[in-house]
Amino acid sequence: MATVKKRVGVIGAGIVGIAAASYLQRDGHEVFVVDPDPPGEGASFSNAGCFNPSSIVPMSMPGTLRKVPQWLADPLGPLAIRWRYLPWLAPWLVRFIRAGTPVLVEAEARALSGLLGPCFAALVPLLKDAGAEHLVRRLGHLVVYRSAAGAAKDAAAWELRRQNGIGWEELGADELRQFDPQLSREYVRGILLTANGHTTDPQALVARLADAFVRNGGKLHRARALELVLEGARLRAIRTEAGELPAEAAVVAAGAYSKPLAAALGDRIPLESERGYHLMIRDPEVSPRVPTNDADGKFVATPMANGLRFAGTVELAGLAAAPDWRRARMLLEQGRRLFPGLATRYPEERISLWMGHRPSLPDSLPVIGPSRRSPDVFYAFGHGHVGMTGGPMTGKLIAELVSGRPPAIDLGPFRASRFA
Ligand SMILES: Cc1cc2nc3c(=O)[nH]c(=O)nc-3n(C[C@H](O)[C@H](O)[C@H](O)COP(=O)(O)OP(=O)(O)OC[C@H]3O[C@@H](n4cnc5c(N)ncnc54)[C@H](O)[C@@H]3O)c2cc1C
């Protein structure tokens, strides 16, 4: 059956919105994207750039709660909560804890596996079309542990990966040294996820994909979307700061800012910002062979085109609070522990800091699917820690939904109504 061509508006020019716009365009739809900022300036700027189909382990696991006090007590720890924000955060936290039962975690991992597994199959056609293949490397991803006890604590997560068909190579202390001689001898165990990859510049990648979208006839409107205008259940337009843009279908891909747009359509989705930081060193003395994840410190060191990026940490403080740059600066201290060859101090002009909002849902699964009130409005947000990896496949799924084809994976676990 031929696809009915529609005028489709995509709200948000991050990796998810641009991937959706690109796939919709491939289906022959007339597509525009609205965003007040240039493509790839949101969370899609600040991340570690990893394409990790192995990241199927939900954030809330059995036992996560037990680790929280120790994380919060450590000023270099991976988690911080602004206590003033707690009254707003509490309902999300309750759902987060409830999502971490063994049975739910298995189902969440299975669902994530379906979304993240086809990452490269969905990404590569977009890269080819955009001439952006040089921005992606498929060299693997290394997870390192400071002790056998640290590795043992992650056993459940590795078992979940094994059950979902993820493969890896185990490296002992000597093999780790051979793989990357720059690594501190403090690390005694490594796991190399050979099927993973990374981009050397996440922002440039999204910008390139957006350029290709425009070259192929797509439109970018620099404006904030304010409302989805319905007539009965049917979409008429997207109202923006710059006026109404007529549309027959819309995709809400505004990352951490998607909540009010969905709420206005009757979908109360517990979307929260898990704020993350990065610190980048220009012309670093050392650089890892592949993105290297310090499993105890819970941060990633990624070799990027413009330097070495340390990215990670979770800060629960909402969308409005000012960044706490100490959360970014501590990544340097952590990073030096990983790579002792780094200098103890850097002039400010060689350092850059960034904070981004991971759009996070308590069960670590995004919302992908139609809205409650209109069959013309589709959600594509809430990718949390894995939006770079899950963005391309989400784009493909959204095109299937808008074009009326059966989606390639079961979207039941991603439905908006699961929070009703
Ligand atoms: C420190 C850190 C490290 C990370 N590392 C990784 C990693 O290694 N691998 C991985 O897969 N993921 C990683 N992530 C997660 C990943 O970055 C996000 O999940 C992903 O970027 C989300 O993409 P998005 O397109 O949904 O949102 P965004 O990139 O935030 O894009 C949303 C866009 O919507 C726009 N917008 C907002 N409101 C409106 C509105 N009303 N109208 C129009 N436009 C609007 C914004 O301006 C923005 O451009 C990391 C995140 C952080 C913070």
Side-chain angles (χ1 to χ4, degrees), residues 119-326:
C119 163
F120 291 108
L123 176 65
V124 167
L126 301 184
L127 293 179
K128 281 196 175 139
D129 191 33
E133 288 147 298
H134 64 289
L135 292 173
V136 173
R137 302 207 173 132
R138 293 176 70 174
L139 303 171
H141 182 96
L142 182 65
V143 181
V144 291
Y145 288 94
R146 292 175 198 155
S147 66
K153 280 190 204 149
D154 274 357
W158 289 106
E159 175 55 21
L160 212 48
R161 290 192 183 93
R162 196 191 57 72
Q163 284 168 11
N164 283 280
I166 311 286
W168 60 82
E169 287 171 19
E170 306 231 355
L171 307 180
D174 290 342
E175 289 157 319
L176 205 50
R177 226 61 63 224
Q178 278 165 27
F179 182 81
D180 193 342
Q182 306 168 102
L183 262 176
S184 160
R185 292 187 171 272
E186 198 190 347
Y187 294 84
V188 296
R189 185 149 177 239
I191 297 184
L192 184 63
L193 292 144
T194 44
N196 291 7
H198 76 283
T199 172
T200 53
D201 192 336
Q203 190 274 335
L205 175 67
V206 179
R208 280 270 185 152
L209 300 184
D211 286 347
F213 163 72
V214 171
R215 228 179 11 253
N216 293 333
K219 293 235 166 20
L220 284 181
H221 293 282
R222 286 285 291 276
R224 187 176 306 282
L226 303 173
E227 189 193 356
L228 294 143
V229 186
L230 303 186
E231 262 172 20
R234 303 323 297 250
L235 181 72
R236 194 187 75 215
I238 298 175
R239 189 166 68 80
T240 77
E241 288 167 334
E244 273 194 14
L245 299 167
E248 291 152 288
V251 181
V252 179
Y257 298 88
S258 304
K259 191 172 172 170
L261 291 164
L265 297 187
D267 291 301
R268 288 164 55 86
I269 297 174
L271 183 68
E272 190 46 66
S273 163
E274 280 189 66
R275 298 148 59 110
Y277 290 84
H278 85 223
L279 175 143
M280 217 159 134
I281 307 171
R282 198 153 6 101
D283 305 321
E285 293 73 10
V286 295
S287 195
R289 260 178 76 177
V290 298
T292 302
N293 177 344
D294 179 319
D296 302 287
K298 302 216 177 303
F299 66 95
V300 182
T302 305
M304 296 259 174
N306 299 325
L308 172 57
R309 180 177 293 188
F310 295 110
T313 97
V314 168
E315 182 187 43
L316 298 171
L319 288 168
D324 175 359
W325 293 119
R326 290 172 304 181

Side-chain angles (χ1 to χ4, degrees), residues 10-19 33-53 55 116 119 141 197-199 202 206 221-227 238-241 252-258 260-261 274-279 291 300 302 304 309-314 331 354-360 380-392:
V10 177
I11 301 173
I15 182 70
V16 176
I18 293 297
V33 175
V34 284
D35 195 313
D37 295 322
E41 298 277 327
S44 302
F45 184 107
S46 52
N47 57 70
C50 301
F51 293 112
N52 286 350
S55 291
L116 306 185
C119 163
H141 182 96
H198 76 283
T199 172
V206 179
H221 293 282
R222 286 285 291 276
R224 187 176 306 282
L226 303 173
E227 189 193 356
I238 298 175
R239 189 166 68 80
T240 77
E241 288 167 334
V252 179
Y257 298 88
S258 304
L261 291 164
E274 280 189 66
R275 298 148 59 110
Y277 290 84
H278 85 223
L279 175 143
V300 182
T302 305
M304 296 259 174
R309 180 177 293 188
F310 295 110
T313 97
V314 168
L331 287 167
W354 194 270
M355 192 269 286
H357 296 284
R358 295 184 191 91
S360 294
F381 61 82
H383 293 70
H385 291 244
V386 294
M388 291 304 285
T389 312

Side-chain angles (χ1 to χ4, degrees), residues 22 28 34 83 99 140 242 276 304 313 352 417:
S22 307
V34 284
W83 296 110
M304 296 259 174
T313 97
S352 57
S417 62

Side-chain angles (χ1 to χ4, degrees), residues 1-8 23-31 248-249 396 398-406:
M1 202 175 65
T3 302
V4 177
K5 307 298 176 218
K6 294 178 185 163
R7 185 169 154 80
V8 189
Y23 269 107
L24 285 161
Q25 190 175 52
R26 284 171 164 246
D27 275 357
H29 299 293
E30 184 191 336
V31 188
E248 291 152 288
K396 212 171 167 183
I398 285 292
E400 287 164 350
L401 289 174
V402 172
S403 302
R405 293 195 301 279

